[in-house]
Amino acid sequence: ACCGRLPTDRNDRGGLVQYDPDDLRQLQLVELEVLLAIDELCAQHDIPYFLDSGSALGAMRHDGFIPWDDDIDIGMMREDYERFVAIASDELPEGYRLLTPDATEGYAPMWAKVMRAGTKFYTRETLEAGLDQGVFVDVFPYDRLCGDARGAQRQVADCLKWQRASYLYHAASVHVPHGGALGRLERLACRAGHGVLRLCTRQDALVAHFRTAISRGVAGDRVTVLSYPVEGGFAEEELLPVRMVSFEGHELPVPQDAEGYLVKKYGERWMDVPPEDQRRNHAPEVLELPAHAVRA
């Protein structure tokens, strides 16, 4: 097992944790185990999903994990996501647990995670929030953007506002965009904002505000993850039906137009491996993995 606090060189704007290579690989294999459990459940119930964000990039560029990455992301259309959450609450295999903003105390994201019980993956923020977070796979819902441009801009702005408020409600130690003196001022402002939010609202109220913002206006034909929106979103046919590619030796789904999806997410040069100073991961401070071997 890998257990304990990890040395980290990240600053308050995030950064890259330099894992021991064996620990990182063991972490990735536990995450893969979680993903395969999700994949099996989705196959049983005909729930379409696809590798998302860095996991889609890893599949297309590396045939698996981005070498320094320490999580897995998947995406689903909102209606499939809601069905998955309802089913997973009761039917995940023993040893797995579903985390959601509606039902998990101390949970800031406005999407679900499936985590492996008996593990720990604690960031500075989850430690402060008191969240018992294990090694996880992120499950992102794709929502419809408003059909008119101004309505979509307001929808995105409102969703981002409530997602950021949720992070700040749960932890004062959120990432800030600057360093130096400006960064110190930003961190002081975050601590003050955290205190105000803890006095004035509750987790369930923030979730309700976010859900209201999702459905603001008349839905159009473009979709995106409203916690982390891509400008202009995607046409549904860019994402579904999925196509299968190799990921760590398993045939797993990616968006139908995976290349176009990655251009929108990461730019035309998404196939280029970035220099080390531009790489990012989740910077956990406490990591605990199972002692037994994980299937690959």
Side-chain angles (χ1 to χ4, degrees):
C2 165
C3 179
R5 289 187 175 266
L6 298 180
T8 172
D9 59 1
R10 78 169 194 175
N11 57 34
D12 288 295
R13 289 172 286 169
L16 183 74
V17 165
Q18 298 292 348
Y19 289 91
D20 177 277
D22 291 338
D23 291 343
L24 177 58
R25 187 56 183 161
Q26 179 73 353
L27 168 61
Q28 290 175 340
L29 290 175
V30 176
E31 291 166 345
L32 180 60
E33 183 184 78
V34 178
L35 175 61
L36 294 177
I38 294 171
D39 181 75
E40 186 172 342
L41 187 63
C42 287
Q44 290 171 1
H45 293 277
D46 194 25
I47 299 174
Y49 81 93
F50 46 87
L51 296 175
D52 189 82
S53 301
S55 298
L57 177 59
M60 299 300 291
R61 193 170 70 192
H62 303 279
D63 296 322
F65 285 96
I66 296 172
W68 58 89
D69 204 5
D70 57 2
D71 82 329
I72 292 177
D73 304 313
I74 66 172
M76 302 175 179
M77 297 301 107
R78 169 63 70 172
E79 56 271 26
D80 298 318
Y81 170 88
E82 297 293 353
R83 207 156 52 91
F84 173 79
V85 167
I87 291 167
S89 298
D90 298 322
E91 296 188 28
L92 279 171
E94 185 177 356
Y96 300 92
R97 179 183 162 204
L98 182 70
L99 308 181
T100 68
D102 304 276
T104 306
E105 189 67 27
Y107 186 75
M110 296 296 180
W111 65 88
K113 296 178 189 280
V114 176
M115 70 170 235
R116 171 70 185 275
T119 64
K120 294 180 181 179
F121 191 100
Y122 296 166
T123 63
R124 184 184 307 173
E125 295 80 12
T126 58
L127 284 167
E128 188 172 338
L131 177 66
D132 179 21
Q133 179 175 269
V135 175
F136 61 87
V137 168
D138 282 316
V139 185
F140 291 104
Y142 275 69
D143 287 295
R144 294 195 177 276
L145 287 165
C146 292
D148 67 282
R150 290 186 66 183
Q153 288 175 351
R154 184 178 176 190
Q155 178 190 27
V156 166
D158 284 351
C159 287
L160 286 174
K161 175 179 69 178
W162 294 116
Q163 176 62 92
R164 290 165 179 161
S166 180
Y167 279 126
L168 193 55
Y169 172 85
H170 287 94
S173 301
V174 295
H175 295 170
V176 297
H178 300 98
L182 181 55
R184 287 194 291 274
L185 287 174
E186 290 171 339
R187 290 192 293 275
L188 285 172
C190 286
R191 292 190 189 100
H194 171 72
V196 170
L197 284 168
R198 297 298 296 188
L199 287 172
C200 296
T201 192
R202 305 182 313 275
Q203 178 175 327
D204 60 346
L206 293 168
V207 173
H209 284 304
F210 183 84
R211 287 188 174 274
T212 298
I214 285 173
S215 56
R216 186 182 302 280
V218 178
D221 59 0
R222 311 289 290 183
V223 297
T224 193
V225 176
L226 283 167
S227 294
Y228 288 100
V230 171
E231 185 176 359
F234 303 93
E236 192 166 341
E237 57 266 27
E238 294 178 78
L239 305 176
L240 297 175
V242 299
R243 68 192 237 217
M244 306 302 285
V245 300
S246 177
F247 185 91
E248 299 293 335
H250 300 269
E251 289 297 301
L252 292 170
V254 295
Q256 170 64 221
D257 180 13
E259 294 84 357
Y261 167 89
L262 291 168
V263 167
K264 287 184 178 178
K265 291 280 288 189
Y266 301 109
E268 294 285 347
R269 301 186 64 179
W270 59 268
M271 277 293 289
D272 295 350
V273 176
E276 187 168 330
D277 63 356
Q278 296 178 24
R279 300 174 187 178
R280 297 290 182 267
N281 56 27
H282 280 73
E285 298 201 358
V286 178
L287 177 65
E288 184 171 329
L289 302 175
H292 69 276
V294 180
R295 61 190 173 119

